[in-house]
């Protein structure tokens, strides 16, 4: 059945971040990528409106494609491979970091699969074996380093680009039910570790979520109304769960975190003042003085007998100081 541009545009507008228009056009890999990244983190979804006519034309052309040569190098695709590889690595870090050998097995596997998914978008492909081999070779080199995800993703993306090629055929003739079943399994494999972490390691997951929400709200704090709208959107899944009657011990940590987020701006300030041992109307000079004293007191080099606690307190003091100095700084007019 011929694909219509009007239908594709409507699906793009109504369910673009979920990849509905790509599913309609037979671009299942692209649909899965959009499902897992919410439309390429929003940017890809907005940009691709101008590409829909060409994709509709491709979907209506014969599916058998035989192209010679290598596809041209695409900086956009390379950037997407690197970013999605990092994203998949961070998701694995949140959900699977407690597994034995995580840094050598689960992490490179997640990064490699993220890079390969971008490689399979559209009429191009790459070598999955070569991509995963590059990830597994790079992982031991940066084992134990906090920045390991970045070099693994970059190296894997370079290898994927070197093995880029055109697909032998375009689109798919499978039934929609089979395609949805395959996409559902892939989505489940991606989200299951996060769900497990959310229910069985709620404190750690809640901290990750609170940090992400905090960063998002910080970016829009200069616009109070926009900040309130974003806060409501971020709290919507939690409120939906509560409305449906879910709760219990699994949600105790979440309730604490989201209660904090609901009054985010003031609560973060109060927490920062508490960490620095100050009252809420402390002056800029008082903040600087308290910061210098606490940094000196909790510096890890001065506390070898309680290094773990000192490092945690040292990081808390620095974060509190950065927050208060940023908020005390006058907003640009």
């Amino acid at each position: 059945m011929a694909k219509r541009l009007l239908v594709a545009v409507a699906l793009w507008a109504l369910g673009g971040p979920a990849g509905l228009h790509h599913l309609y056009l037979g671009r299942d890999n692209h649909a899965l990528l959009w499902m897992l990244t919410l439309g390429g983190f929003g940017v890809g979804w907005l940009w691709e409106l101008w590409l829909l006519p060409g994709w509709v034309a491709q979907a209506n052309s014969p599916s058998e494609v035989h192209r010679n040569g290598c596809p041209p190098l695409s900086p956009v695709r390379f950037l997407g491979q690197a970013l999605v590889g990092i994203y998949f690595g961070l998701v694995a870090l949140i959900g699977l970091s407690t597994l034995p050998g995580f840094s050598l097995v689960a992490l490179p596997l997640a990064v490699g699969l993220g890079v390969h998914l971008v490689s399979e978008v559209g009429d191009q492909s790459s070598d999955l074996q070569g991509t995963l081999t590059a990830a597994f070779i790079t992982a031991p080199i940066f084992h134990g380093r906090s920045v390991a995800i970045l070099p693994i993703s970059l190296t894997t993306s370079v290898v994927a680009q070197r093995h880029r090629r055109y697909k032998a055929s375009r689109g798919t003739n499978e039934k929609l039910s089979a395609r949805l079943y395959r996409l559902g399994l892939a989505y489940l494999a991606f989200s299951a570790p996060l769900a497990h972490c959310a229910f069985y390691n709620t404190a750690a997951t809640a901290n990750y979520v609170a940090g992400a929400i905090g960063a998002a709200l910080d970016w829009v704090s200069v616009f109070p109304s926009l900040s309130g709208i974003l806060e409501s959107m971020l709290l919507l899944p939690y409120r939906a769960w509560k409305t449906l009657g879910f709760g219990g011990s699994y949600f105790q940590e979440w309730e604490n975190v989201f209660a904090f987020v609901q009054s985010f701006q003031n609560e973060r300030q109060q927490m920062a003042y508490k960490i620095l041992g100050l009252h809420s109307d402390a002056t800029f000079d008082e903040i600087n003085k308290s910061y210098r004293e606490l940094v000196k007191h909790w510096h890890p080099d001065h506390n070898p007998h309680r290094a773990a606690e000192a490092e945690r307190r040292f990081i808390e003091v620095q974060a509190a100081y950065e927050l208060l100095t940023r908020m005390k700084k006058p907003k640009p007019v």
Side-chain angles (χ1 to χ4, degrees), residues 218 265-279 282-284 286-288 290-292 294-295 298 311-329:
D218 272 346
Q265 304 296 342
N266 292 333
E267 292 294 338
R268 283 195 74 196
Q269 279 185 283
Q270 295 301 322
M271 186 179 296
Y273 282 122
K274 184 177 179 180
I275 290 173
L276 295 181
L278 298 170
H279 47 82
T283 65
F284 193 78
E286 290 174 327
I287 293 174
N288 284 326
S290 177
Y291 168 71
R292 287 193 296 268
L294 290 173
V295 163
W298 288 112
E311 182 178 2
R312 178 174 61 83
R313 295 291 185 90
F314 186 75
I315 293 174
E316 287 179 353
V317 169
Q318 286 186 317
Y321 176 73
E322 290 176 4
L323 173 64
L324 293 180
T325 52
R326 187 168 63 248
M327 290 185 168
K328 290 284 186 180
K329 188 180 299 182

Side-chain angles (χ1 to χ4, degrees), residues 120-330:
E120 291 288 319
V121 166
D123 58 357
Q124 294 187 27
S125 182
S126 188
D127 179 26
L128 176 60
Q129 182 177 351
T131 301
L132 292 180
T133 299
F136 281 109
I137 290 177
T138 308
I141 301 175
F142 297 92
H143 177 63
R145 301 186 183 181
S146 57
V147 297
I149 295 176
L150 178 60
I152 295 174
S153 182
L154 290 176
T155 303
T156 308
S157 300
V158 170
V159 172
Q161 283 289 324
R162 286 182 58 85
H163 291 88
R164 66 188 185 279
R165 59 176 180 266
Y166 287 112
K167 293 178 180 177
S169 61
R170 183 192 302 132
T172 178
N173 295 320
E174 284 185 304
K175 292 183 178 179
L176 179 61
S177 58
R179 294 164 57 200
L180 290 175
Y181 176 73
R182 188 175 66 251
L183 288 174
L185 288 180
Y187 187 84
L188 181 62
F190 179 87
S191 58
L194 288 178
H196 177 272
C197 186
F199 281 98
Y200 294 99
N201 193 12
T202 53
T205 309
N207 286 333
Y208 280 116
V209 172
I213 293 176
L217 292 175
D218 272 346
W219 292 339
V220 296
S221 60
V222 68
F223 305 108
S225 58
L226 181 58
S227 179
I229 294 173
L230 179 59
E231 182 176 320
S232 299
M233 293 173 59
L234 293 170
L235 289 173
L236 184 60
Y238 167 73
R239 289 170 176 160
W241 276 90
K242 294 293 291 183
T243 302
L244 293 174
F246 293 95
S249 58
Y250 286 139
F251 287 85
Q252 185 176 1
E253 293 288 346
W254 290 106
E255 289 172 353
N256 293 337
V257 169
F258 285 116
F260 156 71
V261 173
Q262 284 177 315
S263 56
F264 185 81
Q265 304 296 342
N266 292 333
E267 292 294 338
R268 283 195 74 196
Q269 279 185 283
Q270 295 301 322
M271 186 179 296
Y273 282 122
K274 184 177 179 180
I275 290 173
L276 295 181
L278 298 170
H279 47 82
S280 58
D281 57 348
T283 65
F284 193 78
D285 291 337
E286 290 174 327
I287 293 174
N288 284 326
K289 180 181 178 181
S290 177
Y291 168 71
R292 287 193 296 268
E293 292 175 353
L294 290 173
V295 163
K296 182 178 179 180
H297 178 74
W298 288 112
H299 197 286
D301 292 344
H302 301 161
N303 297 273
H305 57 291
R306 47 177 180 175
E309 180 186 3
E311 182 178 2
R312 178 174 61 83
R313 295 291 185 90
F314 186 75
I315 293 174
E316 287 179 353
V317 169
Q318 286 186 317
Y321 176 73
E322 290 176 4
L323 173 64
L324 293 180
T325 52
R326 187 168 63 248
M327 290 185 168
K328 290 284 186 180
K329 188 180 299 182

